[in-house]
mmCIF file with all atom_site columns, all heavy atoms in Angstrom:
data_model
loop_
_atom_site.group_PDB
_atom_site.id
_atom_site.type_symbol
_atom_site.label_atom_id
_atom_site.label_alt_id
_atom_site.label_comp_id
_atom_site.label_asym_id
_atom_site.label_entity_id
_atom_site.label_seq_id
_atom_site.pdbx_PDB_ins_code
_atom_site.Cartn_x
_atom_site.Cartn_y
_atom_site.Cartn_z
_atom_site.occupancy
_atom_site.B_iso_or_equiv
_atom_site.pdbx_formal_charge
_atom_site.auth_seq_id
_atom_site.auth_comp_id
_atom_site.auth_asym_id
_atom_site.auth_atom_id
_atom_site.pdbx_PDB_model_num
ATOM   1   N N   . GLY A 1 43  ? -0.052  3.739  -2.861  1.00 98.00 ? 43  GLY A N   1
ATOM   2   C CA  . GLY A 1 43  ? -0.927  3.839  -4.035  1.00 98.00 ? 43  GLY A CA  1
ATOM   3   C C   . GLY A 1 43  ? -2.322  3.354  -3.680  1.00 98.00 ? 43  GLY A C   1
ATOM   4   O O   . GLY A 1 43  ? -2.890  2.496  -4.334  1.00 98.00 ? 43  GLY A O   1
ATOM   5   N N   . GLU A 1 66  ? -0.831  8.198  -1.284  1.00 98.00 ? 66  GLU A N   1
ATOM   6   C CA  . GLU A 1 66  ? -1.385  8.380  -2.635  1.00 98.00 ? 66  GLU A CA  1
ATOM   7   C C   . GLU A 1 66  ? -0.870  9.704  -3.200  1.00 98.00 ? 66  GLU A C   1
ATOM   8   O O   . GLU A 1 66  ? -0.947  10.726 -2.534  1.00 98.00 ? 66  GLU A O   1
ATOM   9   C CB  . GLU A 1 66  ? -2.922  8.369  -2.588  1.00 98.00 ? 66  GLU A CB  1
ATOM   10  C CG  . GLU A 1 66  ? -3.605  8.649  -3.908  1.00 98.00 ? 66  GLU A CG  1
ATOM   11  C CD  . GLU A 1 66  ? -3.144  7.774  -5.061  1.00 98.00 ? 66  GLU A CD  1
ATOM   12  O OE1 . GLU A 1 66  ? -3.234  6.537  -4.968  1.00 98.00 ? 66  GLU A OE1 1
ATOM   13  O OE2 . GLU A 1 66  ? -2.659  8.342  -6.074  1.00 98.00 ? 66  GLU A OE2 1
ATOM   14  N N   . ASP A 1 96  ? 4.306   11.462 -3.060  1.00 98.00 ? 96  ASP A N   1
ATOM   15  C CA  . ASP A 1 96  ? 4.925   10.434 -3.887  1.00 98.00 ? 96  ASP A CA  1
ATOM   16  C C   . ASP A 1 96  ? 5.776   9.510  -3.007  1.00 98.00 ? 96  ASP A C   1
ATOM   17  O O   . ASP A 1 96  ? 6.630   9.993  -2.255  1.00 98.00 ? 96  ASP A O   1
ATOM   18  C CB  . ASP A 1 96  ? 5.802   11.123 -4.945  1.00 98.00 ? 96  ASP A CB  1
ATOM   19  C CG  . ASP A 1 96  ? 6.225   10.170 -6.032  1.00 98.00 ? 96  ASP A CG  1
ATOM   20  O OD1 . ASP A 1 96  ? 6.561   9.010  -5.724  1.00 98.00 ? 96  ASP A OD1 1
ATOM   21  O OD2 . ASP A 1 96  ? 6.212   10.579 -7.211  1.00 98.00 ? 96  ASP A OD2 1
ATOM   22  N N   . ALA A 1 97  ? 5.529   8.215  -3.139  1.00 98.00 ? 97  ALA A N   1
ATOM   23  C CA  . ALA A 1 97  ? 6.250   7.235  -2.312  1.00 98.00 ? 97  ALA A CA  1
ATOM   24  C C   . ALA A 1 97  ? 7.758   7.247  -2.562  1.00 98.00 ? 97  ALA A C   1
ATOM   25  O O   . ALA A 1 97  ? 8.506   6.602  -1.823  1.00 98.00 ? 97  ALA A O   1
ATOM   26  C CB  . ALA A 1 97  ? 5.691   5.837  -2.549  1.00 98.00 ? 97  ALA A CB  1
ATOM   27  N N   . ASN A 1 115 ? -1.283  -2.760 -3.822  1.00 98.00 ? 115 ASN A N   1
ATOM   28  C CA  . ASN A 1 115 ? -2.509  -3.283 -4.418  1.00 98.00 ? 115 ASN A CA  1
ATOM   29  C C   . ASN A 1 115 ? -2.724  -2.685 -5.806  1.00 98.00 ? 115 ASN A C   1
ATOM   30  O O   . ASN A 1 115 ? -2.905  -1.489 -5.956  1.00 98.00 ? 115 ASN A O   1
ATOM   31  C CB  . ASN A 1 115 ? -3.712  -2.932 -3.533  1.00 98.00 ? 115 ASN A CB  1
ATOM   32  C CG  . ASN A 1 115 ? -3.721  -3.725 -2.233  1.00 98.00 ? 115 ASN A CG  1
ATOM   33  O OD1 . ASN A 1 115 ? -3.309  -4.877 -2.215  1.00 98.00 ? 115 ASN A OD1 1
ATOM   34  N ND2 . ASN A 1 115 ? -4.195  -3.105 -1.157  1.00 98.00 ? 115 ASN A ND2 1
ATOM   35  N N   . TYR A 1 116 ? -2.633  -3.549 -6.816  1.00 98.00 ? 116 TYR A N   1
ATOM   36  C CA  . TYR A 1 116 ? -2.927  -3.144 -8.195  1.00 98.00 ? 116 TYR A CA  1
ATOM   37  C C   . TYR A 1 116 ? -2.119  -1.918 -8.597  1.00 98.00 ? 116 TYR A C   1
ATOM   38  O O   . TYR A 1 116 ? -2.652  -0.949 -9.154  1.00 98.00 ? 116 TYR A O   1
ATOM   39  C CB  . TYR A 1 116 ? -4.441  -2.972 -8.398  1.00 98.00 ? 116 TYR A CB  1
ATOM   40  C CG  . TYR A 1 116 ? -5.113  -4.263 -8.028  1.00 98.00 ? 116 TYR A CG  1
ATOM   41  C CD1 . TYR A 1 116 ? -5.485  -4.509 -6.718  1.00 98.00 ? 116 TYR A CD1 1
ATOM   42  C CD2 . TYR A 1 116 ? -5.248  -5.280 -8.963  1.00 98.00 ? 116 TYR A CD2 1
ATOM   43  C CE1 . TYR A 1 116 ? -5.990  -5.733 -6.338  1.00 98.00 ? 116 TYR A CE1 1
ATOM   44  C CE2 . TYR A 1 116 ? -5.754  -6.504 -8.601  1.00 98.00 ? 116 TYR A CE2 1
ATOM   45  C CZ  . TYR A 1 116 ? -6.125  -6.721 -7.281  1.00 98.00 ? 116 TYR A CZ  1
ATOM   46  O OH  . TYR A 1 116 ? -6.611  -7.948 -6.911  1.00 98.00 ? 116 TYR A OH  1
ATOM   47  N N   . ASP A 1 118 ? 0.349   0.570  -10.568 1.00 98.00 ? 118 ASP A N   1
ATOM   48  C CA  . ASP A 1 118 ? 0.437   0.862  -12.008 1.00 98.00 ? 118 ASP A CA  1
ATOM   49  C C   . ASP A 1 118 ? 1.490   -0.054 -12.641 1.00 98.00 ? 118 ASP A C   1
ATOM   50  O O   . ASP A 1 118 ? 2.600   -0.155 -12.121 1.00 98.00 ? 118 ASP A O   1
ATOM   51  C CB  . ASP A 1 118 ? 0.835   2.327  -12.222 1.00 98.00 ? 118 ASP A CB  1
ATOM   52  C CG  . ASP A 1 118 ? -0.228  3.285  -11.704 1.00 98.00 ? 118 ASP A CG  1
ATOM   53  O OD1 . ASP A 1 118 ? -1.425  2.962  -11.841 1.00 98.00 ? 118 ASP A OD1 1
ATOM   54  O OD2 . ASP A 1 118 ? 0.131   4.342  -11.159 1.00 98.00 ? 118 ASP A OD2 1
ATOM   55  N N   . THR A 1 191 ? -10.146 -4.311 -3.184  1.00 97.00 ? 191 THR A N   1
ATOM   56  C CA  . THR A 1 191 ? -9.891  -2.913 -3.573  1.00 97.00 ? 191 THR A CA  1
ATOM   57  C C   . THR A 1 191 ? -10.830 -2.514 -4.722  1.00 97.00 ? 191 THR A C   1
ATOM   58  O O   . THR A 1 191 ? -11.493 -3.368 -5.327  1.00 97.00 ? 191 THR A O   1
ATOM   59  C CB  . THR A 1 191 ? -8.429  -2.711 -4.031  1.00 97.00 ? 191 THR A CB  1
ATOM   60  O OG1 . THR A 1 191 ? -8.294  -3.137 -5.384  1.00 97.00 ? 191 THR A OG1 1
ATOM   61  C CG2 . THR A 1 191 ? -7.440  -3.463 -3.154  1.00 97.00 ? 191 THR A CG2 1
ATOM   62  N N   . GLU A 1 192 ? -10.846 -1.218 -5.056  1.00 96.00 ? 192 GLU A N   1
ATOM   63  C CA  . GLU A 1 192 ? -11.701 -0.760 -6.166  1.00 96.00 ? 192 GLU A CA  1
ATOM   64  C C   . GLU A 1 192 ? -11.320 -1.485 -7.465  1.00 96.00 ? 192 GLU A C   1
ATOM   65  O O   . GLU A 1 192 ? -12.174 -1.992 -8.193  1.00 96.00 ? 192 GLU A O   1
ATOM   66  C CB  . GLU A 1 192 ? -11.553 0.761  -6.409  1.00 96.00 ? 192 GLU A CB  1
ATOM   67  C CG  . GLU A 1 192 ? -12.133 1.644  -5.341  1.00 96.00 ? 192 GLU A CG  1
ATOM   68  C CD  . GLU A 1 192 ? -11.088 2.089  -4.331  1.00 96.00 ? 192 GLU A CD  1
ATOM   69  O OE1 . GLU A 1 192 ? -9.929  1.613  -4.386  1.00 96.00 ? 192 GLU A OE1 1
ATOM   70  O OE2 . GLU A 1 192 ? -11.424 2.913  -3.460  1.00 96.00 ? 192 GLU A OE2 1
ATOM   71  N N   . TYR A 1 193 ? -10.026 -1.542 -7.760  1.00 97.00 ? 193 TYR A N   1
ATOM   72  C CA  . TYR A 1 193 ? -9.577  -2.192 -8.995  1.00 97.00 ? 193 TYR A CA  1
ATOM   73  C C   . TYR A 1 193 ? -9.877  -3.681 -8.960  1.00 97.00 ? 193 TYR A C   1
ATOM   74  O O   . TYR A 1 193 ? -10.320 -4.267 -9.937  1.00 97.00 ? 193 TYR A O   1
ATOM   75  C CB  . TYR A 1 193 ? -8.073  -1.957 -9.203  1.00 97.00 ? 193 TYR A CB  1
ATOM   76  C CG  . TYR A 1 193 ? -7.780  -0.695 -9.960  1.00 97.00 ? 193 TYR A CG  1
ATOM   77  C CD1 . TYR A 1 193 ? -8.038  0.548  -9.401  1.00 97.00 ? 193 TYR A CD1 1
ATOM   78  C CD2 . TYR A 1 193 ? -7.257  -0.724 -11.244 1.00 97.00 ? 193 TYR A CD2 1
ATOM   79  C CE1 . TYR A 1 193 ? -7.787  1.722  -10.077 1.00 97.00 ? 193 TYR A CE1 1
ATOM   80  C CE2 . TYR A 1 193 ? -7.006  0.442  -11.943 1.00 97.00 ? 193 TYR A CE2 1
ATOM   81  C CZ  . TYR A 1 193 ? -7.262  1.663  -11.355 1.00 97.00 ? 193 TYR A CZ  1
ATOM   82  O OH  . TYR A 1 193 ? -7.010  2.816  -12.050 1.00 97.00 ? 193 TYR A OH  1
HETATM 83  C C1  . SAM B 2 .   ? -4.016  1.417  -10.483 1.00 62.69 ? 1   SAM B C1  1
HETATM 84  S S1  . SAM B 2 .   ? -4.300  2.414  -9.092  1.00 62.69 ? 1   SAM B S1  1
HETATM 85  C C2  . SAM B 2 .   ? -4.799  1.246  -7.824  1.00 62.69 ? 1   SAM B C2  1
HETATM 86  C C3  . SAM B 2 .   ? -5.547  1.895  -6.713  1.00 62.69 ? 1   SAM B C3  1
HETATM 87  C C4  . SAM B 2 .   ? -5.930  0.985  -5.544  1.00 62.69 ? 1   SAM B C4  1
HETATM 88  N N1  . SAM B 2 .   ? -4.756  0.463  -4.869  1.00 62.69 ? 1   SAM B N1  1
HETATM 89  C C5  . SAM B 2 .   ? -6.815  -0.147 -5.981  1.00 62.69 ? 1   SAM B C5  1
HETATM 90  O O1  . SAM B 2 .   ? -6.363  -1.307 -5.953  1.00 62.69 ? 1   SAM B O1  1
HETATM 91  O O2  . SAM B 2 .   ? -7.970  0.092  -6.319  1.00 62.69 ? 1   SAM B O2  1
HETATM 92  C C6  . SAM B 2 .   ? -2.639  2.818  -8.600  1.00 62.69 ? 1   SAM B C6  1
HETATM 93  C C7  . SAM B 2 .   ? -2.561  4.024  -7.701  1.00 62.69 ? 1   SAM B C7  1
HETATM 94  O O3  . SAM B 2 .   ? -1.220  4.175  -7.253  1.00 62.69 ? 1   SAM B O3  1
HETATM 95  C C8  . SAM B 2 .   ? -0.902  5.555  -7.230  1.00 62.69 ? 1   SAM B C8  1
HETATM 96  N N2  . SAM B 2 .   ? 0.569   5.672  -7.311  1.00 62.69 ? 1   SAM B N2  1
HETATM 97  C C9  . SAM B 2 .   ? 1.361   5.256  -8.323  1.00 62.69 ? 1   SAM B C9  1
HETATM 98  N N3  . SAM B 2 .   ? 2.647   5.532  -8.060  1.00 62.69 ? 1   SAM B N3  1
HETATM 99  C C10 . SAM B 2 .   ? 2.674   6.137  -6.845  1.00 62.69 ? 1   SAM B C10 1
HETATM 100 C C11 . SAM B 2 .   ? 3.713   6.676  -6.047  1.00 62.69 ? 1   SAM B C11 1
HETATM 101 N N4  . SAM B 2 .   ? 4.995   6.662  -6.459  1.00 62.69 ? 1   SAM B N4  1
HETATM 102 N N5  . SAM B 2 .   ? 3.401   7.225  -4.859  1.00 62.69 ? 1   SAM B N5  1
HETATM 103 C C12 . SAM B 2 .   ? 2.102   7.278  -4.442  1.00 62.69 ? 1   SAM B C12 1
HETATM 104 N N6  . SAM B 2 .   ? 1.076   6.790  -5.169  1.00 62.69 ? 1   SAM B N6  1
HETATM 105 C C13 . SAM B 2 .   ? 1.351   6.223  -6.355  1.00 62.69 ? 1   SAM B C13 1
HETATM 106 C C14 . SAM B 2 .   ? -1.618  6.114  -8.436  1.00 62.69 ? 1   SAM B C14 1
HETATM 107 O O4  . SAM B 2 .   ? -1.815  7.526  -8.344  1.00 62.69 ? 1   SAM B O4  1
HETATM 108 C C15 . SAM B 2 .   ? -2.930  5.330  -8.395  1.00 62.69 ? 1   SAM B C15 1
HETATM 109 O O5  . SAM B 2 .   ? -3.918  5.994  -7.636  1.00 62.69 ? 1   SAM B O5  1
#
Side-chain angles (χ1 to χ4, degrees):
E66 176 53 58
D96 193 319
N115 289 325
Y116 303 87
D118 296 323
T191 81
E192 290 96 353
Y193 271 68

